[in-house]
Every structure is written in structure tokens, then in C-alpha cells.
Amino acid sequence: MSQVVRKVLPLPLHSLVLFTVWLLLNSSADVSTITVAVFLALFIPILLSPFCVPLTPIKKPMAAVVYLFKLLLDIIVSCIQVSIQVMSPVSKLNPGFIKIPLDMSDEFPITVLSSSISLTPGTVSVDVSMDKQFLYVHVLHMDDEAALVAHIKRRYETPLKEIFQC
């Protein structure tokens, strides 16, 4: 029985979200809207399930919550710093690219690291090397490349390694 359910609902949470979002977008619960919602909730996950890669599970959820609050604080502080830099003369900016060596190889934690960096104003993740050894980041202002790399590794990568135990 479980095998049949798994084939019909390979991604049950996705099916639930699709069904709910479709009903909310249409602001209706008539028969045709519900029929389309059921169709989408069943067939889109079936079509997409072969492409889904299992995510690395979060091993320490409380550490993840702490990380999210630290990231939010960093985003606010960076917004203020970038605003000050942008309003000052352009000659004070020293943009550049940095190459950050990665100590983790799982795709999902690397994606979270990359997203965290890109969410913080003044930095944008550009690429991950094919061998997942390096993350390339563009920074708006760089005084000391080694210090910036150390800061990113200490502030973002180390907590993510703890959260995902990778």
C-alpha cells in the first residue's frame, strides 16, 4: 500500500502547497477550481519527482534558528554600511572578487552559504567551482581579502557545518 501512495504522492508536502496555493489564487472553491487544484497537486509532483535531489537534513534545528537571527542582523548592518558607502564618493569603493575555499561538499549547505552571502548587501555569490572546493564571491568593498575570507568562513560556513553536520 505504501508503494502505491508513494507513486501517487511522491512529494506530499508539495502537493498540499500546490493545492492550497491554487485555491487561494483563484479565491474560489467551486468544482472546476478544486478539480484543477487536484490535477495540479497530483501531476506536477509526479512529473518533477525524478529531478528532486534529497536535501541534507538539518541536524541541529536550534543552531539553525540562531543562524537565521545572526543572518538577519548581518543583513541589517550591511544595509546601513552599503548605504553609507554608496552615498560617499565612489573613489572610496574597492570592489573585487574573492575565492573562498569550502570545507563542505554537500550541495544544499553550499547553496545555503551562497544564498546567505548574496542576501547580505555588498556581497554576491557568483559561482561554485565544479569540484565544490571554492565559492567565488563579488564584494562591493574589500580592504583585506584574507580577513574577509576568514570572516565569511567563521560567520557563515562554520555554523552551517554545525547545523548540517557536514
Side-chain angles (χ1 to χ4, degrees):
M1 180 70 177
S2 176
Q3 195 72 329
V4 173
V5 172
R6 179 65 73 185
K7 283 188 178 188
V8 174
L9 288 172
L11 304 168
L13 183 61
H14 292 78
S15 294
L16 178 65
V17 169
L18 283 167
F19 181 82
T20 305
V21 168
W22 186 259
L23 292 180
L24 291 173
L25 286 173
N26 285 288
S27 301
S28 172
D30 62 5
V31 175
S32 62
T33 304
I34 292 173
T35 303
V36 172
V38 168
F39 178 81
L40 293 173
L42 291 176
F43 290 105
I44 289 176
I46 289 171
L47 291 173
L48 296 179
S49 65
F51 303 106
C52 291
V53 177
L55 299 179
T56 305
I58 294 175
K59 304 287 175 130
K60 295 194 173 185
M62 285 310 297
V65 171
V66 170
Y67 179 80
L68 286 174
F69 280 112
K70 280 181 16 181
L71 180 62
L72 182 60
L73 178 67
D74 286 352
I75 290 170
I76 293 168
V77 169
S78 293
C79 280
I80 295 167
Q81 289 174 340
V82 168
S83 297
I84 292 169
Q85 289 172 341
V86 168
M87 290 183 182
S88 65
V90 178
S91 61
K92 290 186 177 184
L93 293 179
N94 184 23
F97 287 91
I98 59 173
K99 181 178 174 180
I100 302 171
L102 295 174
D103 294 332
M104 50 188 173
S105 59
D106 292 347
E107 288 183 9
F108 187 61
I110 291 173
T111 302
V112 174
L113 173 64
S114 176
S115 298
S116 298
I117 291 169
S118 293
L119 282 170
T120 308
T123 55
V124 177
S125 298
V126 178
D127 195 13
V128 177
S129 64
M130 293 297 283
D131 59 1
K132 298 178 191 165
Q133 296 293 311
F134 298 98
L135 176 65
Y136 300 96
V137 176
H138 180 270
V139 295
L140 183 63
H141 183 73
M142 176 174 42
D143 288 326
D144 181 6
E145 180 176 349
L148 186 56
V149 168
H151 172 75
I152 289 172
K153 291 183 76 60
R154 182 185 71 251
R155 187 79 173 163
Y156 301 117
E157 185 181 36
T158 301
L160 288 174
K161 285 172 44 181
E162 177 188 348
I163 291 167
F164 294 105
Q165 298 289 301
C166 59

